[in-house]
């Protein structure tokens, strides 16, 4: 039944299902102690936005894009404590890569959108994206590349 | 990587403090068994005997809102007052109540029920009269059976016209135990 698949679960089930994976991801990005604050921030942001969700599909990808953004904020705030991220090219009049991509990718199918944003916006390795999307490394690579092809066609760049 | 119990607790406390939960709940141990206790930011909304938390959480998510989280801090005050009640140190609960799920006649009956004093008995018929539907004793029985907040809304103090205990959503043994605790039996 479509309706049952797409129903938004109570926050308790959502949190219990994803907390360990999200914490693992943040710990790898930020180190264990910085990850604790980032973990709390990630799920508090999710909680605030949760009432506005329109369906319950792709919640794992959704929470990982929140976690990835929190990790970037945390790494910026405390550069000394954080595992360094790749350079993010930010000029005065351009948005950070992930914001621009999230906007561009809005119309992609959700799995492709998440793969594109996590790969090219947040620079996550495919294995991590596969874990985030509940699929494999290969599936994540495929979703990202077909998302990129679709974006190029849309933007007339093919 | 497993989230530690302490980090888990910290998040649940922060979520309760942030005020963004539709319902925060916990399981509370009492002499009449484990209770599910849930509260919205407006007040206590649910107490359940023999809880199957998942089922109650699902039903609260549908009736109140999807942001339902086990957050012990949300029900600290209720837990404290229940402890006092069972230790004979409290005769009246002083808690905000959120009865948004009850409307119309059931709501009127529950409002009247809240006024039945500690240690006193009333009847289904009397409660129906007080809610302006003197012939609705049977409907009042059903409403008592579905009372969303037993103990605090004292449906255990409502008995049959003959004085028999009749029935109780949590089982007659508990009704008897509560009335004995209050010195009504």
């Amino acid at each position: 039944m479509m309706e049952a698949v797409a129903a938004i679960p109570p926050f308790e089930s959502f949190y219990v299902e994803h907390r360990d994976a999200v914490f693992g991801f943040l710990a790898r990005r930020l180190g264990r102690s910085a990850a604790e604050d980032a973990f709390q921030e990630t799920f508090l942001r999710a909680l605030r936005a949760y009432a506005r969700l329109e369906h319950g599909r792709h919640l794992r990808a959704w929470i990982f894009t929140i976690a990835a953004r929190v990790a970037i904020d945390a790494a910026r705030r405390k550069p000394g404590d954080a595992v360094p991220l790749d350079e993010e090219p930010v000029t005065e009049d351009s948005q950070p890569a992930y914001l621009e991509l999230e906007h561009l990718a809005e119309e992609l199918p959700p799995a492709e959108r998440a793969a594109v944003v996590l790969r090219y916006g947040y620079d996550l390795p495919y294995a991590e994206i596969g874990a985030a999307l509940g699929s494999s490394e290969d599936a994540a690579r495929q979703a990202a590349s077909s998302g990129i092809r679709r974006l190029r066609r849309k933007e007339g760049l093919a | 990587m497993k989230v530690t119990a302490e980090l888990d607790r910290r998040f649940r406390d922060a979520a309760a403090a942030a005020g963004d939960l539709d319902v925060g709940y916990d399981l509370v141990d009492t002499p009449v068994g484990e209770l599910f206790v849930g509260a919205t930011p407006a007040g206590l909304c649910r107490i359940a005997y023999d809880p199957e938390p998942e089922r109650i959480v699902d039903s609260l998510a549908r009736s109140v809102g999807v942001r339902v989280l086990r957050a012990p801090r949300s029900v600290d005050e209720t837990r404290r007052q229940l402890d006092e009640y069972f230790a004979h140190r409290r005769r009246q609960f002083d808690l905000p109540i959120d009865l948004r799920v009850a409307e119309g006649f059931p709501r009127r009956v529950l409002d009247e029920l809240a006024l039945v004093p500690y240690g006193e008995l009333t009847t289904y018929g009397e409660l129906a009269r007080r809610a302006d539907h003197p012939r609705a004793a049977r409907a009042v029985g059903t409403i008592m059976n579905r009372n969303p907040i037993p103990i605090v809304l004292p449906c255990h103090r409502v008995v049959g016209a003959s004085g028999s205990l009749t029935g109780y959503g949590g089982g007659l043994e508990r009704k008897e135990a509560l009335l004995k605790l209050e010195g009504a039996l």
Side-chain angles (χ1 to χ4, degrees):
Chain A
M1 265 173 36
M2 281 306 288
E3 205 182 324
V5 170
I8 298 167
F11 194 83
E12 173 72 22
S13 337
F14 163 77
Y15 168 70
V16 168
E17 187 176 344
H18 302 302
R19 64 184 166 187
D20 291 342
V22 166
F23 184 60
F25 163 71
L26 291 167
R28 285 190 296 280
R29 294 240 118 184
L30 301 168
R32 218 187 154 97
S33 87
E36 297 204 345
D37 287 340
F39 174 82
Q40 186 164 315
E41 177 63 22
T42 297
F43 277 102
L44 286 175
R45 282 193 202 180
L47 179 61
R48 277 197 293 277
Y50 206 71
R52 296 194 302 273
L53 286 178
E54 284 171 7
H55 57 72
R57 291 191 296 267
H58 310 291
L59 291 179
R60 196 171 177 87
W62 179 66
I63 189 68
F64 268 79
T65 54
I66 296 174
R69 193 180 291 191
V70 169
I72 286 176
D73 291 351
R76 282 216 188 93
R77 264 198 311 274
K78 293 186 186 172
D81 302 342
V83 176
L85 292 165
D86 290 342
E87 279 290 299
E88 239 190 297
V90 184
T91 62
E92 275 177 18
D93 58 359
S94 83
Q95 297 176 313
Y98 60 89
L99 282 182
E100 203 162 334
L101 257 176
E102 281 184 10
H103 176 68
L104 268 176
E106 247 163 33
E107 286 164 28
L108 292 181
E112 290 182 11
R113 172 178 187 275
V116 167
V117 169
L118 291 173
R119 178 68 194 100
Y120 298 102
Y122 296 99
D123 201 32
L124 256 59
Y126 285 119
E128 197 98 73
I129 299 169
L133 301 179
S135 63
S136 65
E137 184 172 344
D138 277 351
R141 194 188 312 270
Q142 264 173 26
S145 79
S146 86
I148 286 290
R149 274 200 306 278
R150 209 188 291 268
L151 275 182
R152 288 207 173 111
R153 276 200 301 276
K154 201 177 89 189
E155 304 291 315
L157 302 171
Chain B
M1 193 176 301
K2 269 195 102 46
V3 170
T4 61
E6 194 207 327
L7 179 57
D8 180 68
R9 180 62 181 249
R10 250 177 65 195
F11 167 67
R12 293 176 186 277
D13 281 353
D20 291 324
L21 294 177
D22 294 315
V23 180
Y25 72 91
D26 199 13
L27 301 176
V28 174
D29 277 323
T30 75
V32 292
E34 189 178 57
L35 303 177
F36 179 102
V37 179
T40 70
L44 179 63
C45 69
R46 190 82 174 94
I47 286 182
Y49 289 111
D50 304 317
E52 295 172 57
E54 262 180 50
R55 268 185 53 195
I56 305 173
V57 165
D58 278 344
S59 113
L60 287 170
R62 280 194 302 273
S63 60
V64 183
V66 286
R67 292 173 304 176
V68 183
L69 183 72
R70 184 167 186 173
R73 198 180 252 197
S74 315
V75 299
D76 272 354
E77 183 57 24
T78 306
R79 186 197 334 269
R80 195 175 68 79
Q81 294 197 20
L82 283 169
D83 286 348
E84 291 173 354
Y85 170 80
F86 284 109
H88 299 274
R89 284 187 283 112
R90 172 174 292 275
R91 295 166 65 91
Q92 203 172 344
F93 290 97
D94 182 15
L95 293 165
I97 299 290
D98 184 348
L99 272 179
R100 76 178 82 178
V101 294
E103 294 172 332
F105 183 59
R107 177 57 191 267
R108 292 240 301 285
V109 171
L110 292 173
D111 286 343
E112 285 300 327
L113 173 64
L115 303 175
V116 179
Y118 184 93
E120 289 182 24
L121 298 178
T122 188
T123 64
Y124 298 98
E126 174 58 25
L127 208 51
R129 254 190 305 285
R130 288 186 208 163
D132 299 327
H133 280 67
R135 302 168 67 90
R138 188 178 284 264
V140 166
T142 306
I143 294 164
M144 294 303 99
N145 196 256
R146 296 180 187 158
N147 178 6
I149 317 178
I151 303 175
V152 171
L153 296 181
C155 56
H156 57 280
R157 295 173 196 153
V158 187
V159 299
S162 65
S164 79
L165 293 187
T166 313
Y168 190 57
L172 274 179
E173 268 175 37
R174 286 185 172 122
K175 188 171 193 172
E176 211 178 318
L178 294 175
L179 290 174
K180 279 190 176 142
L181 171 95
E182 296 185 7
L185 285 185

